[in-house]
Amino acid sequence: MNGFDRNELNKGGLDKSALDQGRRSLVTAIGLGAISGAAWANGDGRKPTTNNPSALEASTATASVRYASQQVGEVSIFYRESGPSDAPVLLLLHGFPSASHMFRDLIPLLAQRYRVIAPDLPGFGNTLAPPRASFEYSFDRLAQVMAGFVDALKLTRYALYVFDYGAPIGFRLAMKHPERIAAIVSQNGNAYIEGLSQEWEPWQAYWRDPSAHNRDACRAALTDEAIRFQHAHGAPEHRLSPDGYQLDSFHMRRPEAQEIQLDLILSYRSNVALYPAFQNYFREHRPPLLAVWGKHDVFFIPPGAQAFKRDLPDAEINFLDAGHFAAETHYVEIARLMRDFLRRHRY
C-alpha cells in the first residue's frame, strides 16, 4: 500500500458508521474479555480474586468507548471518550509515532471512575489537519490546537497522562493553565536532559544543522522496522500485540505523513529548550506527579523519571519491566498505579 486517503471512507469503499460500530463491538467482545484473563496476571499467571477489590472492580469493567471529532479551527480532532460525563476527567496524550489507539486497553480500566478522553494529535491517527503548505507542524502549534480542544470540551479541571510527544504538549497546557491540572501521570514522558539517551544523536544533529542530509538521516526512525523496534524493545514478547505497531506503520504511509514527522522531529528541539520552564512549573505549582516508566526504554531512560524528584520531592516513581510503549504491555499495572495514586490525592 503506497498511501491512504482518509476521504476514501466516504467514497463508497468503507462505511464510517459501520467501522465505528465494529470498533465498539470489538471493545466489548475482545477488550473486556482480555481484561478478565491473563492480562491481570502478575507475571505468574494468577488471576484476581475477591480478596483484591481494586483488581476485581477493574476486571468487571463494562464501560463502552465513544468515538467523536471536535473541530478546532482548521483541524478536526478525532478522540476516544469513555466513562460518566460528570466524572473527574483524565486527558490522555499519546506520543510518536502512534495515536489514541495506544490507549485502547487502558481506557476501559480507568473509565469506571473517570471520564477518559484521548485525542489524536494533528498529524497523527484519525485527526484531520491541513497540509504542510498551510499548517505549521510544530509542537507550539500542536499545543495551541490541543488547548483549543480542551476549551471546546469545557475541561476546566483534569488530570494529565502524558507519553513521549504528549509530554511537552501536556506540559505546555499545564503552564498555560496550572489551575486546571489536578495531577500528572508521566509514562515515559520526559522533561529533563538526563532522560535523553544516545539514541537521540541523529535527531540532535538535525537540530544543530537542519540540512537536507541530516533531515534524510532521520528517515530511519520512520521505517516499519524502526516503528516495530520502538514497540518491541524491552517488552515481554508474550504481552506485545502487533496491532499497535502495525497501525502506526499504516498511518506512516499516508501522503505527507513522513514529511510531517520530519518537521516535528526538527521542532522537538523547542521542547528541550523549554525543559527549564517545565521544571520551573513543577517547582512553582507542585502538581501531584506519578511516573510510570518502562525501565528498558532506550529513548527516554530511567534518569529522566528519577529527575522529577529534584523539582517535585513528593513525586512517585515506578519502574515497570517494559520498554518505551509500556502502556501496550503493562496497561493493567499502569491502571492500578494510577487509580491508587489519584484516589490518595482525592481525585
Side-chain angles (χ1 to χ4, degrees):
M1 184 174 296
N2 295 323
F4 174 66
D5 184 350
R6 280 171 269 188
N7 292 326
E8 288 297 321
L9 287 172
N10 300 317
K11 290 183 180 178
L14 293 171
D15 182 78
K16 188 176 186 298
S17 63
L19 285 176
D20 287 345
Q21 182 61 43
R23 281 185 283 197
R24 293 186 182 94
S25 300
L26 284 173
V27 168
T28 302
I30 298 175
L32 299 180
I35 292 169
S36 63
W40 272 101
N42 292 316
D44 57 4
R46 291 182 287 112
K47 295 181 182 179
T49 70
T50 54
N51 293 326
N52 188 341
S54 62
L56 181 61
E57 181 183 355
S59 69
T60 57
T62 57
S64 62
V65 178
R66 303 178 291 278
Y67 305 91
S69 294
Q70 175 63 51
Q71 195 71 31
V72 178
E74 304 168 284
V75 182
S76 177
I77 300 175
F78 171 87
Y79 65 99
R80 301 161 196 261
E81 180 175 356
S82 188
S85 61
D86 59 350
V89 175
L90 299 181
L91 180 62
L92 279 51
L93 299 181
H94 69 81
F96 166 84
S98 199
S100 63
H101 64 259
M102 67 168 282
F103 299 120
R104 63 196 178 281
D105 293 314
L106 180 62
I107 289 173
L109 300 182
L110 300 171
Q112 287 301 294
R113 185 172 297 160
Y114 299 100
R115 179 187 177 194
V116 187
I117 300 171
D120 289 356
L121 299 173
F124 296 83
N126 292 296
T127 283
L128 302 175
R132 294 173 63 237
S134 58
F135 185 86
E136 179 189 10
Y137 286 91
S138 69
F139 280 87
D140 284 341
R141 187 72 180 98
L142 265 57
Q144 291 170 6
V145 173
M146 296 316 301
F149 173 77
V150 168
D151 289 343
L153 267 60
K154 298 180 171 59
L155 306 181
T156 58
R157 183 75 169 166
Y158 54 91
L160 270 172
Y161 180 115
V162 295
F163 164 68
D164 190 82
Y165 276 17
I169 293 171
F171 296 152
R172 281 173 169 83
L173 297 181
M175 288 195 303
K176 183 177 181 180
H177 286 290
E179 76 283 357
R180 295 182 177 179
I181 307 303
I184 296 174
V185 177
S186 175
Q187 186 254 295
N188 299 73
N190 194 58
Y192 296 88
I193 289 291
E194 51 264 57
L196 301 177
S197 76
Q198 63 182 7
E199 299 295 327
W200 286 79
E201 176 52 35
W203 290 22
Q204 291 171 325
Y206 183 33
W207 302 344
R208 294 188 296 266
D209 174 20
S211 65
H213 172 78
N214 286 337
R215 184 179 177 92
D216 284 340
C218 293
R219 293 182 189 277
L222 311 179
T223 64
D224 290 350
E225 294 78 8
I227 291 171
R228 188 185 187 284
F229 175 83
Q230 286 192 56
H231 282 259
H233 181 81
E237 186 175 357
H238 68 281
R239 286 195 177 193
L240 182 65
S241 167
D243 299 349
Y245 61 79
Q246 288 179 353
L247 191 53
D248 291 349
S249 289
F250 172 76
H251 284 149
M252 193 62 72
R253 296 189 180 101
R254 295 174 301 180
E256 284 204 321
Q258 293 205 5
E259 299 308 315
I260 286 170
Q261 294 305 323
L262 291 170
D263 291 347
L264 288 171
I265 288 172
L266 180 60
S267 178
Y268 200 93
R269 61 185 176 179
S270 70
N271 301 329
V272 178
L274 280 175
Y275 280 178
F278 297 158
Q279 295 157 19
N280 184 67
Y281 159 76
F282 298 147
R283 289 191 299 270
E284 182 177 351
H285 295 282
R286 300 283 173 165
L289 186 138
L290 169 69
V292 283
W293 215 267
K295 66 182 180 181
H296 305 302
D297 190 342
V298 297
F299 306 103
F300 295 122
I301 53 180
Q306 295 163 334
F308 281 114
K309 291 188 76 69
R310 187 165 68 232
D311 297 306
L312 293 168
D314 294 330
E316 299 182 23
I317 314 299
N318 293 267
F319 291 104
L320 305 172
D321 188 21
H324 185 61
F325 275 91
E328 285 276 357
T329 58
H330 288 68
Y331 49 90
V332 173
E333 292 86 343
I334 292 173
R336 186 180 296 121
L337 288 165
M338 286 179 64
R339 289 163 68 115
D340 176 65
F341 170 78
L342 293 170
R343 184 189 298 114
R344 285 187 285 106
H345 287 278
R346 300 182 179 181
Y347 187 73

